[in-house]
Amino acid sequence: MATGSGSGGTPARELFGSKWGFVLAAVGSAVGLGNMWRFSYVAAEGGGAAFVILYVIMVLLLGIPLMLSELVVGRKTHLSPIGALRELGGRGWALLGGLFVLVGFLILSYYSVIAGWTMRFALESAMTGFPGDPGQHFGEIAAGPAAMGWHLAFMVLTIGIVMVGVQKGIERAAMVLMPTLFVIVIGLAFWAATLEGAGAGYAYYLTPDLSELMNPNVIRQAASQAFFSLSLGMGAMLTFASYLARDEDLNEQAVTISFADFAVAFTAGLVVFPVIFALGLQDSVGESTVGALFIALPGAFEAMGGPGRVVGVLFFVALAVGAITSAISLLEVVTSSIIDEFGIARKNAAIMMGILIAIFGLASAHNTDVLGLVDQIAGELLLAVGALSMAIFVGWRMKDPGAEMLRGAGPRFTGAVPAVLFLVKWLLPPVIAVVVWFQIWATRDAITGFFGAA
Ligand code: PHE
């Protein structure tokens, strides 16, 4: 087993066994419900292609520099977020690590509920098909005892993998699951191209309505989607990089991970939009509820008869696979911090924290309004706050982040490092501050709406 010792004086730390193990685990964290479920409905809300253009800009300008920032802090210290930020920034910055742990806790609590729906749908598609009216069906299964049961089952799976460790658990799971997901999603995209009426879906997805490009709401959504989908702003990439040997090219990895994540989201759009337009179900996706995809797609699959059943299984299995590798990274942020801060054994830390998260998540499984609210608070607002703080930390507080970016960097990237540092220092803080500002208002509305409705 590869081990190493951090400069923080931790005893031997388990490392990823190979470069591809790390890359696939990080891609596994990035690729998840965010790429298929969230990307599709946010893109639908944001006018399709216009959103996709803004999203690409956000990934390039904000996503990749932030990803590199997190990787640099993790690898330099070989510590989990709280310890890493304390070592490089002093006590006050350790609080940011604490925020990361909290955000990981909150996101996983509802992420697991959605993943539970996904697993249930995969099974239903295989066994019975989707009965009756898909909207009504979703309404019946989204909240309540069954949703709680599936949520708990998904948490057990996640705990089981994290408990085993970095190489044997996380790395091994990613090496098997991620290629499976790629194959399924690409296969589905080819199949979707054969549908009659797919053209309208492509047209919506790929022809931009340029007026939407300046819509502040769509810009905010694109930025937040980039943070969520790339797993940025809560220390997941930082934590994974803390298990990385010293000699890898972090620049190349930041680009590879971000590109792979975008490629999966884009390809998922090539499945979702043709399917939905071919069956005339576009309205149900634009409604922007968390359930949109879970209503429109089963409806579409059902309408296709036998072949729809097969496609349904494949689609929901891919979604569940993406969800599990992302959930692993969320639990790992929490677990590794508990291990490092309190010296608790991995197994106990994973089980203990996993159980607490599972219990907290019961509220989201009981009521989808709670799920939506926690998503707005943690998945939108707090991730943006985390991303902003991280940019300020690496741009202004950390000593010589450029040196760590250059360590192991190939000739292709050495020239880019000063430009990336410039972005982290001068572009990211003001731009993300604006995103945070909009998210504060969106969160205020969500809270008022929640208590108004309750
Ligand atoms: N990136 C994951 C997805 O797209 C979600 C996630 C967010 C995972 C933040 C870890 C941290 O589904």
Side-chain angles (χ1 to χ4, degrees), residues 29-30 32-35 111 228-229 231 234 236 326 329-330:
S29 167
L33 299 170
N35 299 60
Y111 198 86
F228 188 90
S229 189
S231 307
M234 51 74 67
S326 298
S329 73
L330 289 160

Side-chain angles (χ1 to χ4, degrees), residues 16 21-31 71 174 230-231 237 240 257:
F16 279 107
F22 164 75
V23 171
L24 284 177
V27 171
S29 167
V31 171
L71 297 183
L230 294 170
S231 307
M237 292 298 164
F240 275 5
I257 298 163

